[in-house]
């Protein structure tokens, strides 16, 4: 089949050929609707607060103060993401208010758009685009990220559709389609700054496809100009450009020494394998027996070598060997696809995966959100490889996809329970101490707990300007971030509140080494084991 043409669409059942888009929408909704009442979680409050402020000053999303690091500072110095997701939230909130159900339902539309975009794009790369779209949906990182109110899923949806329209515009030489692609890239970068990486990615793809692309490449200047104007506008509004500020912040990590780079790389491999766990689930179908055996031997030898060298230093434990193996599979798939096809499409997929992987290492922390952008490419690579191995056989991936879906839902549910425990804690603290306490109740900690603590009348403790008095209470969440130490002699413990989260799987747990949203807690995006309860220490100032 000639490059650039759409391959024949095959499917296991006739109805997947007749109504693929409708079925994908229904499957996506079936997976996500149980999470509609998920509590505001992790960095969701930053996006919600910006959206709230945009309803007052739409042109000034970050023109307010927030206590996010233990002391009050301007929001434009705290946030490291552009405002498009908050703009979308502001529109929803202007109609439905800050109802968690309404906000999540609105954000589910982004997940649907990403799944449908993966399907449309996969039609150009493989014969089973329906299965490729399901493979993307049934990854832990895609499922869990779809239940947040952050900017990541919006960026992925815009990213995939920008590629679809850019490829279509190049093939048909349609200026308006290329303009639309340029605007989608701009919107992608305004959803999350990493979206600007589409410019070099599509530039490489276009030149590989046709070195005489010529004037059509100028349409890639549209997002460059847009982001330049954005940098100028934010510099004029806040005194510093937010785009360059975000890149400087992202560079604040330990990956500047050989040991640091190796450690971050291994953790990134682990996160890639865990976030894209379907690659490991489908592994037996990806290689012919001899090649698969040699790959397994090489991967096992690598893991054993790393373990024997320094398991603790490199963040490799017996629990994440499978995640590391899955990550290696993802990276090897990109190389094998390039070796097999050596065309513009294989170059696009390889740079897509390795570019995202490199960004996850260079970012200030490795997290699932940084791995998420590669998921559509990984899904397509999986189906392309399985087709290559099973050239004359119809693909029947019912059980592997079912296992991947169950795992992804299990992880998403664990994150759902963790988020809800913070909401429950704030309500319990208010009910237990708010009615009878004559003194102020302060709190430390951020993420979703801060959102609900403020909503229930607690005050954020400012370490630089403490206004506490003897008899005041302060709440310290154990599993949280940016807590400031308080001298032991100034407080006494009143009680410890314990609330159960998920029982056997965790997305954020230092004891289990799970750090889905930041690898500071551990080298795994999620981990299995006996999950300790969420603890909140209630102290009284002397």
């Amino acid at each position: 089949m000639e490059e650039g043409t759409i391959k024949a669409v095959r499917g296991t059942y006739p109805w997947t050929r007749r109504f693929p888009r409708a079925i994908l929408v229904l499957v996506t909704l079936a997976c996500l609707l149980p999470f509609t009442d998920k509590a505001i979680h992790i960095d969701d409050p930053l996006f919600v607060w910006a959206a709230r402020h945009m309803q007052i000053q739409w042109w000034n999303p970050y023109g307010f103060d927030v206590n996010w690091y233990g002391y009050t500072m301007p929001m434009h110095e705290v946030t490291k993401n552009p405002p498009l997701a908050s703009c979308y939230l502001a529109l929803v909130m202007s109609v439905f208010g800050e109802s968690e159900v309404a906000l999540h339902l609105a954000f589910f539309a982004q997940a649907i758009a990403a799944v449908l975009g993966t399907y449309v794009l996969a039609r150009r790369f493989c014969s089973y685009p329906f299965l490729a779209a399901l493979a993307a949906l049934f990854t832990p990182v895609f499922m869990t990220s779809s239940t947040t109110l952050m900017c990541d899923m919006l960026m992925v949806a815009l990213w995939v559709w920008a590629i679809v329209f850019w490829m279509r515009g190049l093939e048909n030489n349609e200026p308006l389609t290329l303009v639309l692609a340029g605007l989608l890239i701009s919107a992608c970068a305004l959803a999350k700054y990493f979206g600007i990486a589409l410019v070099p990615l599509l530039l490489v793809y276009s030149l590989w496809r046709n070195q005489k692309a010529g004037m059509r490449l100028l349409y890639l200047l549209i997002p460059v100009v847009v982001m330049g104007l954005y940098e100028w506008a934010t510099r004029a509004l806040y005194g510093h450009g937010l785009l360059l500020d975000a890149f400087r912040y992202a560079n604040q990590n330990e990956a500047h020494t050989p040991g640091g780079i190796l450690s971050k790389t291994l953790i990134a491999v682990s996160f890639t394998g865990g976030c894209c766990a379907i690659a490991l689930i489908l592994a037996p179908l990806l290689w012919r027996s001899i090649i698969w055996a040699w790959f397994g031997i090489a991967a096992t030898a690598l893991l054993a070598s790393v373990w024997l060298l320094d398991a603790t230093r490199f963040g490799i434990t017996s629990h994440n060997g499978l995640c590391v193996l899955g990550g290696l599979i993802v990276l090897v798939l990109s190389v094998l696809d390039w070796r097999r096809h050596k065309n513009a499409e294989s170059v696009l997929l390889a740079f897509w995966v390795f570019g995202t992987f490199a960004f996850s290492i260079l970012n200030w922390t490795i997290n699932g959100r940084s791995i998420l952008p590669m998921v559509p490419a990984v899904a397509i690579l999986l189906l392309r490889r399985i087709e290559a191995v099973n050239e004359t056989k119809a693909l029947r991936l019912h059980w592997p996809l079912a296992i991947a879906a169950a795992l992804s839902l299990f992880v998403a549910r664990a994150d759902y329970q963790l988020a809800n425990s913070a909401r429950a804690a704030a309500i319990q603290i208010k009910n237990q101490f708010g009615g009878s306490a004559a003194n102020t109740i302060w709190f430390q900690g951020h993420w979703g707990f801060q959102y609900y603590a403020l909503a229930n009348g607690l005050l954020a403790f400012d370490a630089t300007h403490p206004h506490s008095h003897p008899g005041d209470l302060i709440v310290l969440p154990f599993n949280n971030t940016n807590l400031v130490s308080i001298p032991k002699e100034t407080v006494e413990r009143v009680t410890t509140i314990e609330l159960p989260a998920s029982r056997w799987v965790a997305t954020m747990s230092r004891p289990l080494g799970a750090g889905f949203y930041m690898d500071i807690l551990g080298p795994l995006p999620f981990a299995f084991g006996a999950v300790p309860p969420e603890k909140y220490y209630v102290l009284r100032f002397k």
Side-chain angles (χ1 to χ4, degrees), residues 40-361:
I40 305 296
H41 191 38
I42 305 296
D43 288 349
D44 289 352
L46 295 176
F47 293 91
V48 173
W49 293 333
R52 188 188 296 170
H53 189 74
M54 289 183 75
Q55 295 180 78
I56 303 171
Q57 293 180 312
W58 63 266
W59 46 270
N60 184 19
Y62 306 133
F64 60 98
D65 294 336
V66 63
N67 181 337
W68 194 253
Y69 292 107
Y71 50 91
T72 302
M73 57 192 299
M75 175 65 167
H76 59 79
E77 294 182 6
V78 173
T79 186
K80 304 304 173 187
N81 289 295
L84 187 61
S86 293
C87 181
Y88 181 65
L89 272 172
L91 292 174
V92 177
M93 290 163 55
S94 65
V95 179
F96 300 103
E98 289 189 27
S99 162
E100 291 97 329
V101 173
L103 298 182
H104 281 298
L105 285 174
F107 267 55
F108 290 166
Q110 301 170 7
I112 292 172
V115 170
L116 293 178
T118 301
Y119 168 79
V120 174
L121 183 62
R123 287 170 60 93
R124 298 177 170 272
F125 289 86
C126 63
S127 301
Y128 293 88
F130 180 82
L131 296 180
L134 286 182
L137 173 62
F138 296 155
T139 56
V141 68
F142 192 101
M143 196 81 73
T144 303
S145 299
S146 297
T147 66
T148 72
L149 301 178
M150 293 179 273
C151 58
D152 308 280
M153 192 54 65
L154 176 60
M155 188 211 71
V156 171
L158 292 167
W159 178 290
V160 175
W161 282 105
I163 295 176
V164 168
F165 283 100
W166 181 261
M167 296 177 74
R168 186 178 299 172
L170 280 183
E171 289 175 4
N172 302 325
N173 195 21
E174 298 174 347
L176 290 179
T177 304
L178 292 173
V179 169
L180 177 58
L183 294 175
L184 286 171
I185 298 172
S186 304
C188 184
L190 289 173
K192 189 171 184 176
Y193 295 124
F194 179 67
I196 199 65
L198 273 171
V199 173
L201 177 65
L202 292 178
L203 177 63
V204 171
Y205 163 77
S206 303
L207 291 175
W208 199 282
R209 181 180 180 277
N210 181 6
Q211 294 183 0
K212 298 180 180 179
M215 298 297 292
R216 287 176 290 180
L217 297 180
L218 294 178
Y219 292 102
L220 290 175
L221 291 177
I222 294 175
V224 175
V225 172
V226 169
M227 295 312 294
L229 292 173
Y230 171 80
E231 180 74 358
W232 170 80
T234 54
R235 184 178 296 274
L237 193 59
Y238 303 119
H240 60 106
L242 300 189
L243 175 61
L244 293 180
D245 183 63
F247 282 124
R248 283 191 291 267
Y249 181 82
N251 195 43
Q252 296 177 6
N253 62 51
E254 68 272 21
H256 299 293
T257 63
I261 293 174
L262 179 57
S263 176
K264 295 278 286 188
T265 300
L266 289 172
I267 295 174
V269 172
S270 174
F271 265 73
T272 299
C275 290
C276 304
I278 192 170
L280 187 61
I281 294 172
L282 294 175
L285 305 176
L286 299 177
W287 283 276
R288 294 178 176 86
S289 58
I290 296 178
I291 298 179
W292 170 244
W294 280 109
F295 177 80
I297 293 171
T300 303
L302 174 63
L303 293 176
S305 300
V306 171
W307 174 265
L308 292 174
L309 283 173
D310 196 338
T312 303
R313 176 186 174 191
F314 296 131
I316 301 298
T317 70
S318 57
H319 297 286
N320 69 346
L322 290 176
C323 286
V324 172
L325 181 57
L328 291 174
I329 290 173
V330 169
L331 299 178
V332 169
L333 275 178
S334 304
V335 177
L336 292 180
D337 190 80
W338 152 246
R339 290 185 59 187
R340 178 179 177 84
H341 298 282
K342 293 185 179 179
N343 56 17
E345 283 74 15
S346 61
V347 168
L348 174 71
L349 293 173
F351 273 78
W352 186 345
V353 169
F354 277 96
T356 306
F357 180 76
F359 168 76
S360 72
I361 297 173

Side-chain angles (χ1 to χ4, degrees), residues 358-492:
F359 168 76
S360 72
I361 297 173
L362 298 176
N363 196 16
W364 75 274
T365 183
I366 298 171
N367 51 54
R369 298 164 62 190
S370 298
I371 301 297
L372 176 65
M374 73 167 66
V375 167
V378 172
I380 293 171
L381 283 167
L382 286 169
L383 268 297
R384 279 162 70 92
R385 183 62 191 176
I386 293 174
E387 286 180 35
V389 173
N390 301 270
E391 295 177 349
T392 61
K393 301 177 182 178
L395 299 190
R396 297 188 176 275
L397 306 180
H398 314 83
W399 286 111
L401 288 175
I403 294 171
L407 173 63
S408 300
L409 287 168
F410 199 33
V411 173
R413 184 174 180 271
D415 199 59
Y416 166 84
Q417 292 174 310
L418 176 63
N420 289 356
S421 70
R423 178 172 58 191
I427 295 173
Q428 180 174 332
I429 291 167
K430 176 190 177 183
N431 293 338
Q432 187 170 344
F433 300 102
S436 58
N439 300 92
T440 303
I441 305 177
W442 303 90
F443 72 90
Q444 287 198 46
H446 305 282
W447 295 338
F449 175 71
Q450 178 175 6
Y451 178 88
Y452 291 104
L454 292 172
N456 283 278
L458 281 67
L459 298 182
F461 184 79
D462 189 327
T464 60
H465 298 90
H467 297 291
S468 59
H469 299 89
D472 287 354
L473 301 179
I474 184 167
V475 181
L476 304 178
F478 176 75
N479 188 21
N480 210 286
T481 186
N482 298 326
L483 274 68
V484 180
S485 62
I486 299 176
K488 293 182 179 180
E489 63 272 12
T490 64
V491 293
E492 59 182 358

